Amino acid sequence: NLVGSLLKQRDTGFDHGKLAGRIARTLSRPGTEVRAWRVSRGEEKTDPYARYFAPAGILEIKVSDPLVSARKEERTSHYLDKEKKQQTVKTTVWEYSASITADIKLLSAPEAATLDKLTETFGVKEDRPDNKADVGEWYRDRQENLFNDAAAKLAGRYIGRPVLRYRPV
């Protein structure tokens, strides 16, 4: 936020709690249950509250700050006219994008052995004919889409995966 204010950029207002809630709701299906989730800025090796829920596993997601941008892009398209001659059209579009990078670990509990580990990027993009939209406002309007992308990718990775025993996370 400090760097953003020095560069005269607005705070993106990333809501970690909404992201965690969306992921928890998406992963809670028959066969998978998310018993609890929390947002932490700490660097604890183990979750101090996990013992109260006795989970079979813990899904740990460390999220970067969002990268939000709007950049001008020249695009060229080709088509055949009525006389079957190839025509070229150049257009200018503004590509608005927002992304976050997440380090994801699935740990077994209580021994905290790593079962799965990956780094994933979640994002949303939109092409616009002009750059009249404020980047911060555009991001706030699309933040839910970013959360949906994160939840969908995690569900695709973990839902329906065969396991040998019931494992609440």
Side-chain angles (χ1 to χ4, degrees), residues 20-33:
R22 176 68 47 84
I23 292 169
R25 283 192 305 278
T26 302
L27 293 178
S28 291
R29 297 179 182 189
T32 306
E33 179 185 358

Side-chain angles (χ1 to χ4, degrees), residues 15 24 32 43-44 50-51 53 70 90 99 105 110 124 137-138 150 161 167:
D15 192 339
T32 306
E43 294 294 325
E44 304 103 8
R51 61 189 161 124
F53 299 99
K90 290 187 178 185
S99 64
K105 282 199 284 189
V124 62
E137 291 293 323
W138 176 87
R161 222 173 163 181
R167 299 180 59 91

Side-chain angles (χ1 to χ4, degrees), residues 28-155:
S28 291
R29 297 179 182 189
T32 306
E33 179 185 358
V34 177
R35 294 209 176 159
W37 59 267
R38 75 182 183 100
V39 175
S40 171
R41 292 186 184 262
E43 294 294 325
E44 304 103 8
K45 292 288 182 191
T46 60
D47 191 308
Y49 302 105
R51 61 189 161 124
Y52 298 112
F53 299 99
I58 296 173
L59 182 63
E60 178 182 284
I61 304 170
K62 293 183 179 180
V63 181
S64 70
D65 289 332
L67 298 173
V68 182
S69 67
R71 64 182 181 95
K72 185 178 180 179
E73 192 173 287
E74 296 282 332
R75 294 189 182 166
T76 305
S77 59
H78 304 283
Y79 70 95
L80 295 176
D81 63 9
K82 293 178 184 178
E83 299 165 358
K84 305 284 187 199
K85 291 184 181 177
Q86 186 175 18
Q87 300 293 324
T88 303
V89 177
K90 290 187 178 185
T91 56
T92 301
V93 294
W94 288 83
E95 183 182 80
Y96 283 70
S97 65
S99 64
I100 56 173
T101 302
D103 293 325
I104 302 161
K105 282 199 284 189
L106 180 62
L107 307 166
S108 65
E111 63 275 0
T114 302
L115 300 174
D116 189 31
K117 184 177 182 180
L118 74 142
T119 299
E120 183 73 62
T121 301
F122 310 119
V124 62
K125 291 183 181 181
E126 180 184 4
D127 291 338
R128 299 177 60 99
D130 56 36
N131 68 336
K132 292 182 180 175
D134 177 58
V135 176
E137 291 293 323
W138 176 87
Y139 169 72
R140 279 186 282 288
D141 291 342
R142 307 301 180 292
Q143 190 175 47
E144 290 291 323
N145 298 352
L146 184 66
F147 296 165
N148 290 339
D149 183 50
K153 284 183 179 176
L154 289 173

